[in-house]
Amino acid sequence: MAIRYWLGVMHRENVRFGRESGFAQASRDTREVFQGMGDADGLVYYSPRTDFEGDPLKEFTAIGYLADGHVYQESGQAWRPWRRRVDFDRQAVETSIRPLVKLLEFSRDDPEWGYQLRRGLFEISRHDFDLIREQMRRPAL
């Protein structure tokens, strides 16, 4: 089965929590998408804000590969996101989307590209994943 690539949208604080805990998480409406993702698929997170009601951020905040096919949901919490284990790239640094907007296939020819981010989790091309990963691996200036 071919490796696929995904972009998840979540504020930075939730991404950081998941990255430190070794899992990806997505809203309650994404169980089927999470289940349809294959082992070793690539996943990158984009964070439009720092936290739920925080400051605008517009950065890619984590990148990695799914570690297994187990999809689960935490119990006993008000917010119960679906989760999957991820091997995050610990060398990656958070980086702005701005220099990449005209280069990424999901955004370059679409002036309304931001609307698709509302889905919360969607498939992207390998080109886009590789370009984002390259940008996130650059040394911070």
Side-chain angles (χ1 to χ4, degrees):
M1 190 162 173
I3 293 176
R4 295 163 65 192
Y5 303 91
W6 305 89
L7 186 131
V9 181
M10 185 169 288
H11 63 75
R12 181 177 65 191
E13 291 310 308
N14 272 359
V15 173
R16 285 180 173 174
F17 175 70
R19 186 180 61 215
E20 294 307 313
S21 302
F23 59 76
Q25 56 188 5
S27 71
R28 65 182 183 276
D29 300 331
T30 56
R31 179 181 183 187
E32 282 117 24
V33 177
F34 254 18
Q35 287 177 323
M37 297 166 84
D39 298 355
D41 278 6
L43 175 67
V44 61
Y45 272 109
Y46 170 77
S47 297
R49 303 184 86 67
T50 56
D51 55 43
F52 188 68
E53 294 182 10
D55 296 324
L57 186 64
K58 299 181 181 178
E59 290 186 352
F60 295 107
T61 49
I63 193 165
Y65 292 91
L66 298 172
D68 61 38
H70 179 64
V71 177
Y72 64 97
Q73 190 175 36
E74 289 294 321
S75 60
Q77 300 177 5
W79 184 59
R80 298 182 60 214
W82 292 100
R83 294 180 173 165
R84 282 193 69 169
R85 206 165 69 71
V86 175
D87 293 325
F88 286 104
D89 182 344
R90 301 295 178 183
Q91 303 299 315
V93 296
E94 297 174 1
T95 190
S96 174
I97 192 174
R98 287 176 184 91
L100 299 178
V101 168
K102 292 185 179 181
L103 303 173
L104 295 168
E105 291 175 352
F106 79 84
S107 61
R108 71 174 170 218
D109 293 326
D110 184 0
E112 305 294 329
W113 64 269
Y115 284 109
Q116 63 192 315
L117 300 176
R118 293 179 182 196
R119 289 185 278 172
L121 182 65
F122 60 95
E123 191 169 359
I124 61 173
S125 67
R126 179 179 180 167
H127 167 271
D128 286 0
F129 184 85
D130 288 344
L131 189 59
I132 294 165
R133 184 180 61 213
E134 179 182 318
Q135 190 73 16
M136 292 181 80
R137 297 297 301 276
R138 291 178 186 235
L141 299 176

